[in-house]
Amino acid sequence: PQRFGMNLNILLILVLADCVCCGFADHLWHPGHWTLNVVFFALPILIHLLQILIFFFLVGHTFLLKYGLLLELWCEFRSVFFFSLFRFGVLAGARVPRFVAAIEEWPPADFWDDTLFHALFWANNILTVIYDAWLLRKCHSMARVRFFKPQLWQKRKQGLVRSVLPRRSSSGGIIGGIIGGSAGSGGSSSSSEWSPCA
């Protein structure tokens, strides 16, 4: 759908802006760059929060959120929560000291000679590239049909269970009830209901 693609394009723009901020923010030490230092302190944090917001907009297109299957949603995307939280901690650890140094007009040598600040600078820059690429891949994976067709989702889950546990019959659980309800309403209507364009 158009909204799904638009959200992915917005996320790509945010990723590019995030990389630009990390690449140039630490080269501004002149007192006349005070305003830019404030912008480069706040902008990466704002971009990070907007990326998470866009991710949840994309999740809102899936049947998991539409039908309130929060446990299934958590099991599928909990890595996004933990990785985003970790990256936010590293981002704050790198940007806050740099902001303090800019406000108090530290000499650049005093900042870069500190081993901790230097390590946080490199950790933030490297982690930013890894996180942005990983988040883009995770968001693009939500375009798969199984996130919009509960029948395919159930089939995949049953396949994972059979690969770990002995083969046995399964009642289908909550998602099975959704599949049954959608099947009762007719094949053609269920197809339109579960398509991403709905």
Side-chain angles (χ1 to χ4, degrees):
Q2 291 183 350
R3 284 185 299 174
F4 192 92
M6 183 181 66
N7 287 331
L8 285 178
N9 290 333
I10 293 174
L11 182 63
L12 179 59
I13 294 173
L14 291 175
V15 165
L16 294 175
D18 197 21
C19 293
V20 169
C21 288
C22 287
F24 296 97
D26 292 287
H27 298 282
L28 303 173
W29 288 94
H30 193 274
H33 294 150
W34 187 88
T35 303
L36 286 176
N37 279 307
V38 173
V39 171
F40 279 122
F41 166 72
L43 194 57
I45 297 175
L46 178 62
I47 288 174
H48 181 79
L49 297 177
L50 286 176
Q51 286 176 336
I52 298 174
L53 183 63
I54 292 295
F55 174 80
F56 281 106
F57 282 161
L58 293 173
V59 169
H61 291 280
T62 67
F63 82 92
L64 295 174
L65 191 61
K66 288 181 179 179
Y67 283 86
L69 301 176
L70 300 183
L71 183 59
E72 293 282 344
L73 193 66
W74 169 254
C75 292
E76 185 71 23
F77 297 114
R78 59 188 172 188
S79 60
V80 176
F81 172 79
F82 290 119
F83 198 4
S84 297
L85 191 62
F86 175 70
R87 194 260 171 164
F88 183 79
V90 174
L91 176 63
R95 299 313 307 160
V96 170
R98 178 64 181 86
F99 180 67
V100 172
I103 294 298
E104 298 182 356
E105 299 184 359
W106 291 8
D110 291 350
F111 181 84
W112 294 116
D113 286 344
D114 191 294
T115 306
L116 177 60
F117 295 159
H118 208 167
L120 285 171
F121 165 78
W122 285 108
N124 179 52
N125 283 7
I126 295 173
L127 187 62
T128 294
V129 176
I130 296 174
Y131 173 79
D132 286 340
W134 176 83
L135 185 63
L136 275 175
R137 182 180 177 86
K138 200 74 174 177
C139 290
H140 275 278
S141 71
M142 277 191 284
R144 295 173 181 169
V145 180
R146 63 184 174 89
F147 288 108
F148 304 97
K149 300 280 188 178
Q151 297 90 342
L152 298 179
W153 175 272
Q154 184 73 355
K155 183 183 296 185
R156 175 179 176 272
K157 299 295 283 188
Q158 289 175 348
L160 292 176
V161 170
R162 291 194 189 101
S163 65
V164 177
L165 301 176
R167 188 170 184 176
R168 62 183 181 179
S169 60
S170 174
S171 61
I174 299 175
I175 298 179
I178 295 176
I179 297 173
S182 62
S185 62
S188 60
S189 62
S190 63
S191 298
S192 61
E193 179 182 355
W194 293 111
S195 67
C197 299

